[in-house]
Amino acid sequence: MRFFHLSDLHIGKQLHHYNLREDQEHILGEVISYAETLRPDAVVIAGDVYDKSVPSGEAVSLFDDFLTRMSEIEPAIPVLIIAGNHDSPQRLDYASRLLGSRRIYIAGKAPETEREHLKKITLTDKFGTVHFYLLPFLKPGYVRSLTGGELPQSYTAAVEAVLNREKIDLRERNVLVSHQFYTGTGGMPETCDSELLSVGGIDNVDISVIKSFDYVALGHLHGAQKVGEEHIRYCGTLLKYSVSEAGQEKTLHMVEIGEKGSPVKVEKLKLHPLRDVCRVRGNLADIINNGESVRREDYVSVTLTDETDPYKPKEQLEKVYSRILEVRMDNTRTRKKLEFAEEEIRLDNPLQTFADFYSEMHGRQMSGEEEEILKHTYDKVKGDAQ
């Protein structure tokens, strides 16, 4: 069985102040072209369909067009969708029962009551059945009622509580679709500036609770990568959504599951974005004179190395590049400024430090009377602080 693994479409997102509608429309069109050519058995979207919980009409229209075009492919290709942390479960779930009749399956929220269970979609191939379990983004508080009214102690415990209720038959082939921050042994996953993660990793889920699945289609992180195991993967975004992703190669993941127990194969299909996100570095004159024509329409981060700050650099750079994300300076002055900012400021003798400052400002040493006033003030402030 072969299926596309997508995630983090972030439809409606802006890159700095640039609207990405054309870029997203183009890349989703390429996904449809691949689907028409390769005819996968399913298309899986692992969360963050939209960039905001209340998407704009333009964003909703774009995703509606994608689903409509996908549903027109014959024979029909099932589309499986879960909500991510950027999505509104209720809005994404709208008309989900009706869409199910067109083989578009949406899971907006995780089970919250004893009567609710994960949405399970079963597909078949020559080796038998493959069960897809759709687990939308959740927080421990969402599933309190499933743990006897007690708040799960961690995100791992919350995910485990949901999965344990499903009584999954491990003799069958099972795929989990999930949108969380999963971690395993061997270090933390790579993250990008366009992601929002909790400080300290308090929202992480240990992969020990999902290892038994034959494949885990993850969403949330924007860089494609495995997490601890070959069959547990983030597919990453279809487009670059921050300058930190400039060096990444975005691809469409096509997953192939054979008979039970055989290794999963992942083929990375090349994507051709309408515009790229890239970095340009050098002095202003060289960048303007040697501007690469292929990058004139790309989203560009510029780092200038001129030792003297140039006059209105962005206005000059706009002669070459149409979509400038940022202009940074990296020269001797800025590096010294950064080094000074990182230094630990120590005041071994505050009275002497102030006396030196006074001397520099007034061109003379403090008088005896002034020194007494300073000492009295310092002793009083120090006493109040204690």
Side-chain angles (χ1 to χ4, degrees), residues 40-72:
D41 297 295
V43 173
V44 171
I45 304 177
D48 279 358
V49 171
Y50 297 112
D51 191 56
K52 299 181 187 299
S53 59
V54 184
S56 66
E58 181 180 75
V60 173
S61 176
L62 179 54
F63 189 53
D64 175 67
D65 179 67
F66 171 75
L67 291 180
T68 300
R69 293 175 63 189
M70 189 66 71
S71 67
E72 290 172 349

Side-chain angles (χ1 to χ4, degrees), residues 311-320 324:
Y311 176 71
K312 293 187 176 180
K314 186 173 182 182
E315 285 83 344
Q316 296 189 61
L317 287 165
E318 285 172 342
K319 299 174 184 177
V320 179
I324 297 174

Side-chain angles (χ1 to χ4, degrees), residues 10 12-13 19 22 51 72 85 92 104 124 126 128 131 138 143 163 165 200 214 223 235 246 264 284 328 349 354 364:
H10 288 282
K13 184 176 179 64
N19 188 318
E22 288 183 350
D51 191 56
E72 290 172 349
N85 57 302
L92 197 63
I104 297 173
T124 59
K126 64 181 180 180
H131 307 292
L138 60 79
V143 298
L163 295 178
R165 300 173 63 250
D214 296 275
C235 62
V264 173
L284 181 61
R328 297 169 176 260
N349 188 334
F354 184 83
R364 66 175 180 85

Side-chain angles (χ1 to χ4, degrees), residues 281-282 302-310 313 327-343:
R281 180 183 177 88
V302 180
T303 300
L304 298 176
T305 58
D306 302 72
E307 286 300 326
T308 302
D309 291 355
V327 178
R328 297 169 176 260
M329 292 298 303
D330 182 15
N331 53 28
T332 303
R333 179 184 60 81
T334 57
R335 285 193 291 272
K336 284 184 177 179
K337 189 175 181 180
L338 287 173
E339 289 172 5
F340 177 78
E342 292 173 356
E343 289 179 357

Side-chain angles (χ1 to χ4, degrees), residues 3 53 79 89 116 121 126 156-157 177 191 193 198 208 225 230 267 275 294 320 328 330 341-342 347 349 352 363 367:
F3 60 90
S53 59
V79 181
E116 296 176 333
I121 308 301
K126 64 181 180 180
T156 300
V177 185
T191 59
D193 292 345
S198 296
S208 59
Q225 59 197 289
E230 290 291 336
E267 183 180 357
R275 304 177 185 92
V294 295
V320 179
R328 297 169 176 260
D330 182 15
E342 292 173 356
L347 300 178
N349 188 334
Q352 185 58 50
S367 66

